[in-house]
Amino acid sequence: MEYRPLSARTSLGALAVVVFCLSSQAVAQDAFQGGRLYDKWWTGNGSPAPVGEHPLYPAVGQQSGNTTFRCKECHGWDYKGAAGAYAVGSSHFTGIPGVLTSAMTPAQMFDIIKNPDGDGTGGTNVNGHGFGTIGLSDADIDDIVAFLQTQLVDPAAFLNGTQFVGDPVQGEANYTGSGFCFFCHGDDGTDLNFGTPENPEWVGTVAVSNPWEFMHKIRVGQPGSQPAMPSWTQNGGSDQGAADLGLYIQQNFPTAPAVSAVPTTSEWGMLAMVLTMFAVAVLSLRYSRRATVR
């Protein structure tokens, strides 16, 4: 077959078709990255941490600083906001509703997250978060919307109060086997400390004190962690499997350092008396030996 160069018009036409096809393809959304951004978006995408307090954070709230810019801080780890674990009495109470049962469309969610006025029309929705001017790209917001639309679960379905409902034997298998959790967290979950040396926080601490946070992080991963904490759900794990894992950890892992026994006042007195008697006995023995030699 003889090769014939394309004419300029044909070349431009072919290029236009290619550009149209590429631009018309939807950008792949990562719902699990969206879940990590929901947790702490500036850690998840590497942008500078916001300063001050978010304009929408209410006066009733007890938190301050960039914590008020985290999605979870108002809407909760259980996605129920003021109707869930962040209800009245919680130090995280804001009175703001959750997102678990939101009827918003993806486009509405995108607009209210990105724009200061909520929908880009000049202030018809005063709850606009304005994250598009603070540190979230359109792709980031797409990921968060994908998470909110496709990956929310009600943790109450897997909890009896604050205790996970499941099979701890299967949970152990998940921890040591397919989950590979123990490679980073260790046999008893104390290899990684999320707190301080004086006040450590381990995976067992989180599972017991905040099972909603535990389930969120197990399902989607931890933002900015090195090595990256994998998403249990993204790698084929079930929600019940995450609950099994939680119950195993709640029942078997330490939540705080073991408390060393401190002697009581009477025990200190007894110890002092014994040491005194021992010293007297040693001195008496030395004196008697010297007397014998003389």
Side-chain angles (χ1 to χ4, degrees):
M1 178 181 294
E2 182 181 359
Y3 170 76
R4 295 181 180 179
L6 295 173
S7 66
R9 177 176 295 181
T10 305
S11 299
L12 290 174
L15 179 61
V17 170
V18 171
V19 171
F20 173 79
C21 292
L22 290 176
S23 62
S24 64
Q25 291 179 351
V27 177
Q29 296 175 330
D30 186 344
F32 300 99
Q33 169 65 359
R36 294 186 287 272
L37 296 174
Y38 177 94
D39 178 342
K40 194 173 186 180
W41 53 263
W42 57 94
T43 301
N45 67 6
S47 63
V51 296
E53 294 186 2
H54 194 281
L56 293 181
Y57 192 73
V60 69
Q62 300 178 43
Q63 306 304 310
S64 62
N66 58 29
T67 295
T68 63
F69 287 81
R70 298 173 71 179
C71 305
K72 79 89 196 172
E73 189 53 46
C74 292
H75 301 298
W77 292 114
D78 57 1
Y79 324 119
K80 296 178 181 180
Y86 284 0
V88 175
S90 166
S91 62
H92 298 276
F93 173 74
T94 61
I96 295 175
V99 291
L100 183 62
T101 58
S102 174
M104 284 188 178
T105 65
Q108 289 172 328
M109 284 186 171
F110 182 94
D111 286 339
I112 202 171
I113 294 171
K114 178 178 179 177
N115 301 311
D117 55 46
D119 58 7
T121 62
T124 56
N125 188 335
V126 296
N127 292 324
H129 292 48
F131 284 133
T133 61
I134 300 173
L136 287 178
S137 67
D138 285 0
D140 290 333
I141 299 173
D142 280 334
D143 289 342
I144 294 175
V145 171
F147 169 70
L148 297 175
Q149 290 282 328
T150 67
Q151 292 301 321
L152 296 186
V153 298
D154 186 352
F158 305 95
L159 288 166
N160 180 12
T162 58
Q163 185 176 54
F164 283 105
V165 176
D167 179 358
V169 175
Q170 181 60 50
E172 180 178 14
N174 294 345
Y175 185 86
T176 59
S178 57
F180 298 108
C181 309
F182 78 95
F183 283 136
C184 289
H185 293 283
D187 291 339
D188 65 353
T190 61
D191 282 9
L192 288 182
N193 179 10
F194 317 127
T196 64
E198 298 76 22
N199 188 26
E201 181 181 76
W202 303 314
V203 64
T205 316
V206 178
V208 170
S209 65
N210 198 336
W212 309 279
E213 178 184 3
F214 176 90
M215 189 149 190
H216 176 91
K217 291 181 183 291
I218 290 296
R219 294 184 70 249
V220 304
Q222 170 73 13
S225 61
Q226 294 297 330
M229 176 178 169
S231 160
W232 167 261
T233 306
Q234 191 174 20
N235 285 280
S238 68
D239 294 334
Q240 183 56 62
D244 294 338
L245 183 60
L247 182 59
Y248 166 67
I249 291 174
Q250 285 181 332
Q251 292 182 344
N252 295 279
F253 284 16
T255 60
V259 178
S260 300
V262 178
T264 64
T265 302
S266 60
E267 289 172 335
W268 280 119
M270 180 65 70
L271 179 61
M273 184 177 67
V274 170
L275 291 175
T276 301
M277 293 176 63
F278 177 76
V280 170
V282 170
L283 290 174
S284 298
L285 180 61
R286 287 183 177 179
Y287 180 80
S288 62
R289 285 180 176 178
R290 288 179 180 178
T292 302
V293 170
R294 289 177 183 175

